Amino acid sequence: MATPEGTTDVIPAPRAVAGTPGPPGRAVPLGRETVLWAAPGTGSTERWLRATLGAALGLPLPAGPEDAPNSVRLCLDDALEPEAYRLAAVPGRGVEIRGGSPAGVFWGAQTLRQLLGPDAFRRAPVRPDAARAVPARVVEDAPRFRWRGLMLDVARHFMPKDGVLRYVDLMAAHKLNVLHLHLTDDQGWRVEIERHPRLTETGSWRARTRFGHRASPLWEDKPHGGHYTRDDIREIVAYAAERYIGVVPEIDVPGHSQAAIAAYPELGNTDVVDTSALTVRDDWGISPNVLAPTDTTLRFYEDVLGELLELFPADAAAFSEFFHIGGDECPKEQWRASPTAQARIKELGLADEDELQAWFVGHFDRWLSARGRRLIGWDEILEGGLAPGAAVSSWRGYAGGIAAARAGHDVVMCPEQQVYLDHRQASGEDEPVPIGYVRTLEDVYRFEPVPPGLDADQARHVLGTQANVWTEVMEDSARVDYQVFPRLAAFAEVAWSPLPAPGERDFAGFERRMATHYRRLDALGVRYRPPTGPRPWQRRPGVLGRPVEGPPPSR
């Protein structure tokens, strides 16, 4: 009986791993006679084990009695923390996964998959006659943070539905539990709204696309676009919920809205520019065309959010009560020049355009709260005050997170300088379309989500952390894979595992475990950046990026 390779190479690292009593090398065999027993409430993991693990290894895993030898048993245990699990593989007894909640059982199943070796990450058996065994181990584990997120920007470059579902599976394999979908921006609107069909008929397509950073002279002169239908969104949400992943949609207001204005010109500042002449933006950067602060605009976006609240139900999975409204990078020039905007500032008794933006965000904060939902936005929404229930995505370094936590707001830490995965991974000339600071695998591994200077009460407002993937220079799924992996594995360990202080972390040990994890990623078909640098077909010679030299600011 072969013992699987990499039995201690679990990523993210579990809190405790111990051998079970008995001679070394003992293992629990899994074969066609192995049965699966699932307690009430563990049905999602039962289905996943048969459909994914069973398919990969050629194991039918039929239902059977709880006391069958070498069975796999799924149990709930309210003595454990909600997402905690205890996996015990005992020869003669089988494998038992106990979770403090159904999610905990599922995370335990992810660890079981890793213990079975890289073949368990394929879609069909490649060695159907090979003996399968789980090493005699007890793994006890629980996450450090409740919010362990990944933001996918599907607005700049559209990712078709099957690509999103694939990333849901990749997140689950790394015990991440929040998918933040950036659905709208200047360059595209990606979700069907029945009451306003031109948002996708017009707003989801641009005529051409800048290839590279906005300094690049290269263009791809063909239309780019696409959108998710309402049923696509329902499918994504349901698929993620089966894997205990919540989906948080983002609809940008009042900036980053040129695609919406191109579809419905009355949403823009018509007294300043000819909004009827606008098209979906084909270049990168920040558009000056922002939403007009009118009742027409408010009612329009209430329609949009009303439809989306039904598509993204609050009880789907972790943190699915949140709705992201962007709120960042809103140029004020058009408002300064707009008689309509100036009249609204005077009517509301506001001091300036910054307070007008705070009023705009505050309107939707109250609107969402009245419907039992929670607003979250980028850290600019702190400017001008914020309702008590709103939360903040801190992207401009640590400062926004510190200010939010000290003001009593929940915060998700996703600082640009640390966990923006569009930033380049090395300083070499072969890095494709280099953007931002160099953020190596080790840099991400040494990221600390809790900002310094917070006391214990303030630190409790840090819900967790999130890696962000902006896709301006990622024209297809292979480029997304290259930027995301392997760094997402390091980020997942930061988000899940109780690591020591950044300087004391065992990166050499993590690299040793990654040697096994690369084989899992290979089995999953992930086109990651190899440790030795990009492969020839991963390079983009001559395509200009925007590298920033030197170390990133630490705060």
Side-chain angles (χ1 to χ4, degrees):
M1 180 75 63
T3 299
E5 300 177 35
T7 56
T8 59
D9 293 344
V10 174
I11 291 178
R15 294 193 176 194
V17 181
T20 56
R26 296 190 317 153
V28 174
L30 297 185
R32 297 191 65 82
E33 73 286 351
T34 300
V35 300
L36 175 59
W37 181 85
T42 64
S44 292
T45 302
E46 178 186 16
R47 290 188 291 274
W48 181 87
L49 282 169
R50 287 203 182 96
T52 302
L53 194 61
L57 301 178
L59 302 177
L61 298 175
E66 182 180 5
D67 59 354
N70 294 326
S71 61
V72 176
R73 300 180 300 281
L74 309 178
C75 314
L76 294 175
D77 186 343
D78 58 12
L80 297 173
E81 300 172 43
E83 287 190 277
Y85 67 88
R86 183 180 187 274
L87 185 156
V90 181
R93 279 284 296 146
V95 178
E96 180 178 86
I97 301 174
R98 306 186 72 85
S101 68
V105 176
F106 184 73
W107 305 133
Q110 301 305 312
T111 295
L112 174 63
R113 188 189 197 186
Q114 293 198 22
L115 293 175
L116 282 163
D119 282 358
F121 289 79
R122 297 190 178 274
R123 295 190 182 185
V126 294
R127 278 170 278 275
D129 298 325
R132 309 294 179 189
V134 183
R137 295 283 188 275
V138 175
V139 181
E140 295 182 331
D141 204 5
R144 180 186 178 193
F145 292 108
R146 292 186 295 136
W147 185 302
R148 305 178 302 278
L150 175 68
M151 189 222 69
L152 282 179
D153 168 19
V154 297
R156 270 54 175 270
H157 277 101
F158 179 61
M159 179 180 285
K161 180 194 67 179
D162 61 341
V164 176
L165 298 178
R166 173 175 174 265
Y167 260 84
V168 168
D169 281 328
L170 290 171
M171 291 175 64
H174 293 83
K175 299 185 175 76
L176 301 176
N177 69 338
V178 179
L179 172 61
H180 171 174
L181 272 184
H182 183 78
L183 289 166
T184 71
D185 216 294
D186 299 313
Q187 294 83 9
W189 184 285
R190 304 294 177 216
V191 57
E192 176 188 19
I193 302 297
E194 285 186 335
R195 294 192 64 177
H196 302 294
R198 294 206 305 274
L199 286 171
T200 48
E201 291 170 358
T202 298
S204 69
W205 290 93
R206 57 179 181 261
R208 62 176 188 167
T209 299
R210 174 85 68 178
F211 191 57
H213 184 255
R214 56 182 176 270
S216 169
L218 304 175
W219 292 87
E220 186 177 41
D221 285 307
K222 67 177 184 181
H224 175 85
H227 73 275
Y228 309 112
T229 67
R230 291 166 58 85
D231 281 348
D232 288 340
I233 292 295
R234 291 187 179 100
E235 181 182 356
I236 289 168
V237 170
Y239 192 85
E242 277 277 302
R243 289 147 183 80
Y244 299 96
I245 294 171
V247 183
V248 175
E250 180 181 352
I251 301 295
D252 253 314
V253 297
H256 287 289
S257 298
Q258 183 168 323
I261 298 168
Y264 291 92
E266 64 271 22
L267 298 175
N269 294 284
T270 57
D271 53 352
V272 177
V273 295
D274 179 9
T275 56
S276 65
L278 293 178
T279 60
V280 176
R281 187 174 174 88
D282 58 13
D283 205 355
W284 312 126
I286 303 169
S287 170
N289 297 296
V290 302
L291 297 174
T294 63
D295 290 343
T296 296
T297 300
L298 298 181
R299 300 294 87 76
F300 183 97
Y301 275 86
E302 287 170 3
D303 289 346
V304 169
L305 298 189
E307 289 194 26
L308 293 179
L309 293 188
E310 182 264 322
L311 297 178
F312 294 91
D315 58 353
F319 297 108
S320 51
E321 73 273 17
F322 280 94
F323 200 102
H324 207 293
I325 54 82
D328 63 315
E329 297 179 328
C330 178
K332 308 298 192 303
E333 287 78 11
Q334 289 186 0
W335 286 355
R336 293 188 184 100
S338 165
T340 300
Q342 293 303 309
R344 175 127 285 189
I345 289 173
K346 183 176 180 181
E347 170 198 340
L348 296 170
L350 304 176
D352 55 21
E353 292 76 19
D354 290 336
E355 288 195 6
L356 183 61
Q357 180 174 345
W359 165 82
F360 203 109
V361 170
H363 173 86
F364 289 105
D365 189 356
R366 294 185 295 274
W367 190 92
L368 288 165
S369 295
R371 288 153 182 82
R373 306 301 281 267
R374 292 186 65 185
L375 179 144
I376 185 169
W378 304 112
D379 53 56
E380 286 96 328
I381 68 172
L382 284 166
E383 299 161 7
L386 195 58
V392 171
S393 300
S394 182
W395 75 275
R396 295 180 298 176
Y398 283 96
I402 293 171
R406 287 177 175 170
H409 294 290
D410 288 340
V411 60
V412 175
M413 294 304 302
C414 48
E416 173 187 17
Q417 302 89 341
Q418 310 297 330
V419 288
Y420 269 31
L421 300 185
D422 47 309
H423 282 212
R424 56 194 173 134
Q425 302 185 64
S427 58
E429 294 183 0
D430 287 339
E431 286 302 308
V433 199
I435 298 294
Y437 295 102
V438 172
R439 292 287 84 191
T440 65
L441 184 67
E442 182 173 2
D443 291 330
V444 175
Y445 191 69
R446 297 193 188 280
F447 164 59
E448 172 49 49
V450 178
L454 297 182
D455 63 31
D457 287 338
Q458 294 164 348
R460 277 192 281 272
H461 283 290
V462 179
L463 296 175
T465 184
Q466 178 173 290
N468 292 344
V469 185
W470 300 103
T471 63
E472 288 94 334
V473 299
M474 300 181 209
E475 71 277 9
D476 56 31
S477 62
R479 282 286 291 122
V480 176
D481 278 7
Y482 179 91
Q483 293 298 135
V484 171
F485 288 98
R487 293 183 296 181
L488 192 68
F491 173 80
E493 186 147 308
V494 168
W496 178 278
S497 306
L499 300 176
E504 300 169 7
R505 293 175 187 172
D506 182 11
F507 179 69
F510 176 76
E511 280 191 305
R512 285 192 296 272
R513 287 182 286 125
M514 280 300 299
T516 299
H517 201 65
Y518 285 122
R519 294 180 60 201
R520 299 174 190 135
L521 297 178
D522 288 334
L524 287 166
V526 176
R527 292 153 288 188
Y528 56 83
R529 181 190 188 275
T532 53
R535 297 180 173 94
W537 56 87
Q538 292 174 321
R539 300 167 187 162
R540 297 292 185 275
V543 181
L544 292 179
R546 184 185 59 86
V548 181
E549 301 302 331
S554 59
R555 300 288 180 265

